Amino acid sequence: EGRHHIEILIRLKDEAEEAILPMAFIPTAERYGLMSKIDFYVLEKTCQFLRDHPLDHYIYSINISGQTLSSTVDMERITSFLQSCEVDLGRICIEVTETVAIANLENATQFLKQLQNLGCYVALDDFGTGLSSFSYLKNLPLDYIKIDGSFVKDMVSEKSSLMMVDAIHSVGKKLGLMTIA
């Protein structure tokens, strides 16, 4: 497609203004049911950025949590917000991990279709980590598959990782999906 992608990542700062990595705060946010609020905050800030920078042509990828995908209220809130946010939704790619999509398959399928209908791109993240990965490619409405980094980082030194990346890319291409590795 030729367009550049930027993945939006969130960090917190501690008292010394040092970045706190997501694995230090996301499990706590999940435990206390705060991930949907974080997802919406990231979406709002990204749309605000897009309104302030209307002329760049990047696609901005935003991860959506399992908590959001398991709540019809949160999914409706996101779709309603996107309908009214006044940005080119073709600049947004919503990412869900393979594990989250599989765990919430019916909700994920419906939500991802709604996002595509609004003009957003949809990506399946961490692809290759699930047990039945390829079977979900034909059922989920997707534009991209993002191959799990464990395969990509070892593909130069491990022949099996290279073969996995090649196989995933080949299947995705035949299904009309773009691949991110």
Side-chain angles (χ1 to χ4, degrees):
E1 167 180 283
R3 291 176 71 185
H4 294 283
H5 291 251
I6 296 174
E7 185 168 4
I8 305 299
L9 302 172
I10 190 166
R11 301 289 186 269
L12 291 178
K13 290 184 180 180
D14 63 16
E15 298 81 22
E17 295 294 311
E18 297 291 323
I20 302 172
L21 296 177
M23 291 321 308
F25 66 86
I26 286 184
T28 302
E30 288 172 337
R31 187 172 332 121
Y32 290 101
L34 299 173
M35 283 308 302
S36 296
K37 289 182 180 184
I38 291 172
D39 289 344
F40 196 76
Y41 173 83
V42 171
L43 183 63
E44 282 182 314
K45 290 297 181 185
T46 302
C47 287
Q48 179 182 355
F49 177 86
L50 293 175
R51 280 190 298 275
D52 293 344
H53 299 87
L55 298 179
D56 79 26
H57 296 288
Y58 294 109
I59 295 174
Y60 293 86
S61 295
I62 303 166
N63 294 289
I64 298 293
S65 70
Q67 284 182 1
T68 298
L69 271 182
S70 63
S71 166
T72 55
V73 171
D74 290 331
M75 289 186 292
E76 287 172 9
R77 182 177 180 215
I78 287 175
T79 54
S80 177
F81 172 76
L82 286 170
Q83 289 171 328
S84 66
C85 73
E86 299 179 1
V87 298
D88 174 8
L89 296 181
R91 296 175 62 201
I92 295 176
C93 180
I94 301 296
E95 294 185 8
V96 296
T97 64
E98 180 181 8
T99 307
V100 164
I102 292 167
N104 302 289
L105 190 57
E106 189 175 324
N107 284 347
T109 301
Q110 180 183 12
F111 181 56
L112 299 178
K113 281 181 184 175
Q114 288 176 339
L115 293 172
Q116 285 179 327
N117 289 339
L118 291 174
C120 296
Y121 290 102
V122 174
L124 189 62
D125 198 7
D126 296 337
F127 187 77
T129 58
L131 296 176
S132 303
S133 298
F134 288 104
S135 68
Y136 293 103
L137 289 180
K138 66 180 186 177
N139 296 319
L140 287 168
L142 300 170
D143 299 296
Y144 297 93
I145 49 175
K146 287 181 68 177
I147 301 172
D148 186 68
S150 64
F151 297 116
V152 177
K153 73 177 178 132
D154 294 333
M155 67 184 225
V156 173
S157 60
E158 292 181 7
K159 187 176 180 181
S160 61
S161 289
L162 177 60
M163 290 170 35
M164 290 296 296
V165 169
D166 185 51
I168 293 168
H169 175 67
S170 178
V171 169
K173 189 174 181 179
K174 289 176 181 167
L175 290 171
L177 303 174
M178 292 171 273
T179 305
I180 299 171

